[in-house]
Amino acid sequence: MKMLTPPYTDALPPLVATIGCFDGVHRGHRFLIEQVCAEAARRQLASALITFPVHPRQVMQSGYCPQLLSCLSQKTELLLCQPADYCLLFPFTQELSLLSARDFMRQLHDRFHIQVLVIGYDHRFGHNRREGFEDYCRYGDELGMEVVQAAPLRMDGVSVSSSLIRDLLRKGDVQRANRFLGYPYYLNGQVVSGHQIGRTLGFPTANLQPLCAEKLIPAHGAYAVYVYLGDTRYRGIMNIGHRPTLDNGPQASIEVHILDFAGDIYHHSLKVELMAYLRPEQRFPSTEALVEQLEKDRLQAIGLLEETSR
């Protein structure tokens, strides 16, 4: 795949394309991309994915902070692994947000030589998003651009979507979210100074500061995780929340305890894959009770991670 950014100096061939945010590049997106590539192969045309470097609502709504499954660098990395010929980063602007669906489609047709536009089953565009697939087909006929509606991917009786996966992560259901994503949900971050209380309890933790402020942070609680330090993978436990037993104040933190590891990793970067939810955050009557629960968490995490590696 070739990634193109403005001003698009490369001459593009006639395209079969689809457009969307592709947040998470999950199994539903990949099913859509397969349909685009199949339509392109059937017509002997090139295939393209058009996506936005910034979430459209951030352009239309000042101060809006999306809770993303993948920030731009993660999304482009995932898209580059897909079988389409091109990925076009298309900046979304205030001017674009005011266009009707017909005028927006004309821009796509004229600017990118799109011959066939494949529309996601639930995708709407144009000012106020009032028009639907039949309108898009009519505008396509006027513009000389065929419009095709893609089929959704259904798993476990539901249509796979970014909003569904976000809801699952907010509930802590990472195993089901991972199934729909097609890969483990992960956080990238830098290790920064924390309260340094974990080491006094026998469970030293790395305080993780996410690299992307717009990345969705899952439900508070304890998780079984894989931790990547460079190319080396470790088993671990992660806690998201306020650590109420230790009275650490209102600011939520992300604390990672790496199993079978000893070393100074301050200011290092970590990738943490969330594999299973262990329990919600809770207040314990004493630090001794907390340590007892952390040991239970450790044993449970080891068992769950062994299951996932089989």
Side-chain angles (χ1 to χ4, degrees):
M1 177 190 287
K2 191 168 188 178
M3 181 75 66
L4 300 180
T5 57
Y8 311 115
T9 54
D10 292 37
L12 289 168
L15 297 173
V16 176
T18 190
I19 186 167
C21 287
F22 293 106
D23 185 25
V25 195
H26 51 66
R27 288 185 187 272
H29 291 139
R30 297 201 288 277
F31 185 60
L32 167 62
I33 292 167
E34 288 173 6
Q35 294 175 72
V36 171
C37 293
E39 291 286 348
R42 189 162 66 85
R43 293 170 169 80
Q44 296 185 316
L45 297 174
S47 56
L49 315 174
I50 303 172
T51 192
F52 310 113
V54 175
H55 194 286
R57 280 186 65 182
Q58 287 178 280
V59 175
M60 296 184 292
Q61 190 175 328
S62 177
Y64 174 73
C65 184
Q67 292 194 307
L68 299 174
L69 300 175
S70 56
C71 61
L72 180 60
S73 61
Q74 295 167 345
K75 179 171 75 170
T76 52
E77 181 181 347
L78 290 164
L79 286 173
L80 284 170
C81 296
Q82 303 311 308
D85 297 307
Y86 297 94
C87 181
L88 308 173
L89 288 182
F90 188 34
F92 194 84
T93 63
Q94 284 284 355
E95 291 75 20
L96 278 179
S97 72
L98 297 175
L99 293 180
S100 66
R102 186 185 185 283
D103 289 339
F104 183 70
M105 290 175 63
R106 176 180 289 280
Q107 281 228 8
L108 295 179
H109 178 264
D110 295 347
R111 193 167 187 178
F112 300 125
H113 304 157
I114 296 175
Q115 305 300 302
V116 181
L117 182 64
V118 181
I119 303 291
Y121 76 98
D122 62 347
H123 188 66
R124 287 177 178 265
F125 48 79
H127 186 57
N128 293 328
R129 297 160 59 93
R130 289 176 178 169
E131 294 146 304
F133 181 71
E134 291 183 358
D135 300 301
Y136 304 152
C137 289
R138 186 170 70 255
Y139 302 148
D141 288 341
E142 296 172 10
L143 296 168
M145 179 170 63
E146 184 180 352
V147 178
V148 175
Q149 187 166 42
L153 175 66
R154 292 187 64 81
M155 297 175 63
D156 302 340
V158 295
S159 297
V160 177
S161 68
S162 298
S163 58
L164 170 64
I165 295 169
R166 289 190 203 99
D167 287 343
L168 292 170
L169 290 170
R170 291 186 185 109
K171 296 172 184 174
D173 192 351
V174 294
Q175 288 173 300
R176 196 161 176 234
N178 290 348
R179 173 167 158 71
F180 293 151
L181 281 167
Y183 58 87
Y185 188 70
Y186 62 95
L187 299 172
N188 291 106
Q190 186 174 45
V191 180
V192 297
S193 297
H195 297 279
Q196 301 183 5
I197 296 175
R199 67 179 63 185
T200 67
L201 304 177
F203 285 86
T205 60
N207 186 24
L208 193 70
Q209 179 67 49
L211 297 179
C212 176
E214 297 164 347
K215 181 94 168 174
L216 185 148
I217 305 301
H220 287 190
Y223 295 83
V225 299
Y226 282 120
V227 183
Y228 291 83
L229 180 58
D231 294 327
T232 305
R233 187 178 78 170
Y234 299 90
R235 297 175 300 182
I237 307 165
M238 180 172 72
N239 186 79
I240 301 174
H242 300 95
R243 305 197 302 178
T245 307
L246 303 174
D247 292 322
N248 288 146
Q251 186 67 38
S253 62
I254 303 173
E255 302 282 342
V256 184
H257 172 63
I258 306 175
L259 303 181
D260 306 316
F261 177 83
D264 182 358
I265 56 173
Y266 282 123
H267 308 302
H268 283 68
S269 294
L270 298 180
K271 174 183 176 181
V272 183
E273 293 180 340
L274 285 71
M275 305 304 297
Y277 188 64
L278 300 177
R279 60 175 174 83
E281 187 173 46
Q282 61 192 102
R283 180 185 292 275
F284 294 94
S286 65
T287 56
E288 290 79 13
L290 171 60
V291 171
E292 184 179 343
Q293 180 60 56
L294 290 174
E295 179 59 25
K296 291 178 181 178
D297 293 342
R298 185 183 72 82
L299 294 174
Q300 185 183 3
I302 290 172
L304 287 168
L305 294 173
E306 285 178 352
E307 286 182 17
T308 63
S309 63
R310 287 172 187 162

